[in-house]
């Protein structure tokens, strides 16, 4: 049997079989990040995923990692059961991890080694409870083969994600804010964008009503 046909028979599970229990903060931020980035890249050739198994060695189903969130540029946004780097001919451009007490060592030590090995250009760590990371938001950029360097914050206290053209910052309530680097506008979910649009429409209608009243006086 050829290597090709042998590899074709290898199964790559869609679950790692581990318990899925996470804190409310971890779940909420994983979902929010996905919604923010999905809406930002709507209609574009960009793949956004969360908690999906990423296999990085063909023929070795034991070699996988499960990022809390990741973005792959120039990649079809269609739904996938797993992400296999040799099939996609891509690796994630950016990885996001929301750390807590349980997966802390994995997020800070083991996963970054894999991300560096496969060539993920940037990854970010965020501790929503501000209990395990100091500071609670950290970013790393691939500087050489298998080597990450810490991303320094800018004068506004933000971390720049060069791959996505966004900045990350921590609000007074410890919430994570993502902004478009060029405009400075905070990224919104689709629901938040619609709500803001409705508010602006209502404000404009009120202005027009007031203008009509002023004319009738």
């Amino acid at each position: 049997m050829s290597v090709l046909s042998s590899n074709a028979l290898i199964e790559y599970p869609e679950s790692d079989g581990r318990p899925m229990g996470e804190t409310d903060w971890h779940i909420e931020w994983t979902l929010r990040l996905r919604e923010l980035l999905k809406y930002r890249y709507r209609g574009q050739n960009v793949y956004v995923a969360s908690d999906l198994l990423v296999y990085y060695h063909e023929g070795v189903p034991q070699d996988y990692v499960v990022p809390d969130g990741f973005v792959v540029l120039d990649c079809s946004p269609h739904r996938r059961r797993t992400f296999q780097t040799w099939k996609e001919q891509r690796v994630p451009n950016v990885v996001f991890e929301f750390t807590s007490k349980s997966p802390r060592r994995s997020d800070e030590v083991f996963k970054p080694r894999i991300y560096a090995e496969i060539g993920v250009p940037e990854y970010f760590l965020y501790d929503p409870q501000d209990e395990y990371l100091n500071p609670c938001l950290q970013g790393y950029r691939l500087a050489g083969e298998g080597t990450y360097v810490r991303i320094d914050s800018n004068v506004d206290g933000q971390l720049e994600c060069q791959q996505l053209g966004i900045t990350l910052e921590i609000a007074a309530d410890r919430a994570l804010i993502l902004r478009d680097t060029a405009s400075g506008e905070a990224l919104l979910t689709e629901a938040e964008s619609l709500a803001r649009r409705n508010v602006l429409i209502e404000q404009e209608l009120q202005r027009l009503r007031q203008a009509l009243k002023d004319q009738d006086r």
Side-chain angles (χ1 to χ4, degrees):
M1 183 179 292
S2 68
V3 174
L4 180 61
S5 60
S6 177
N7 284 342
L9 296 176
I10 294 175
E11 184 177 344
Y12 298 90
E14 299 166 21
S15 169
D16 59 7
R18 296 176 182 175
M20 295 295 290
E22 290 290 354
T23 66
D24 286 339
W25 296 273
H26 188 284
I27 294 170
E28 288 168 4
W29 278 105
T30 299
L31 294 175
R32 177 164 178 75
L33 178 76
R34 180 183 174 90
E35 291 177 2
L36 288 171
L37 294 173
K38 280 277 191 181
Y39 189 61
R40 174 178 173 82
Y41 291 111
R42 63 195 183 280
Q44 300 184 46
N45 199 42
V46 176
Y47 181 59
V48 178
S50 59
D51 287 329
L52 191 78
L53 272 73
V54 175
Y55 290 97
Y56 50 90
H57 285 153
E58 184 176 7
V60 189
Q62 297 83 8
D63 286 355
Y64 66 85
V65 66
V66 189
D68 290 332
F70 64 94
V71 180
V72 191
L73 303 177
D74 192 23
C75 183
S76 171
H78 72 266
R79 294 175 178 174
R80 294 163 171 79
R81 296 183 179 277
T82 63
F83 191 92
Q84 300 174 23
T85 59
W86 61 93
K87 287 185 177 180
E88 305 286 348
Q89 292 295 297
R90 298 279 188 284
V91 299
N93 290 78
V94 182
V95 164
F96 299 89
E97 298 288 356
F98 299 106
T99 193
S100 56
K101 185 176 182 179
S102 175
R104 180 183 177 186
R105 183 166 176 78
S106 175
D107 292 341
E108 294 184 67
V109 179
F110 300 119
K111 283 185 175 180
R113 290 176 184 170
I114 296 173
Y115 299 147
E117 176 189 341
I118 66 177
V120 174
E122 293 177 319
Y123 83 95
F124 294 85
L125 286 166
Y126 171 50
D127 175 7
Q129 295 173 270
D130 195 14
E131 293 179 342
Y132 310 107
L133 285 182
N134 184 23
C136 65
L137 174 65
Q138 298 178 13
Y140 297 85
R141 185 170 294 131
L142 201 61
E145 186 175 346
T147 304
Y148 278 115
V149 294
R150 188 86 164 258
I151 299 174
D152 294 326
S153 57
N154 61 21
V155 294
D156 297 317
Q158 303 165 323
L159 298 183
E160 182 180 358
C161 176
Q162 295 178 348
Q163 291 289 311
L164 304 185
I166 62 175
T167 58
L168 297 84
E169 64 186 73
I170 299 298
D173 61 356
R174 299 200 305 271
L176 177 64
I177 300 176
L178 279 62
R179 298 183 184 276
D180 179 83
T181 303
S183 68
E185 290 290 322
L187 271 58
L188 302 175
T189 65
E190 183 175 10
E192 290 169 345
S193 181
L194 179 60
R196 173 177 286 189
R197 191 179 305 120
N198 289 339
V199 168
L200 293 176
I201 291 173
E202 182 59 31
Q203 290 175 344
E204 181 62 16
L205 289 174
Q206 290 179 359
R207 186 189 68 79
L208 292 174
R209 293 190 194 104
Q210 186 61 49
L212 290 174
K213 288 181 181 179
D214 294 340
Q215 289 179 0
D216 292 339
R217 289 176 183 174

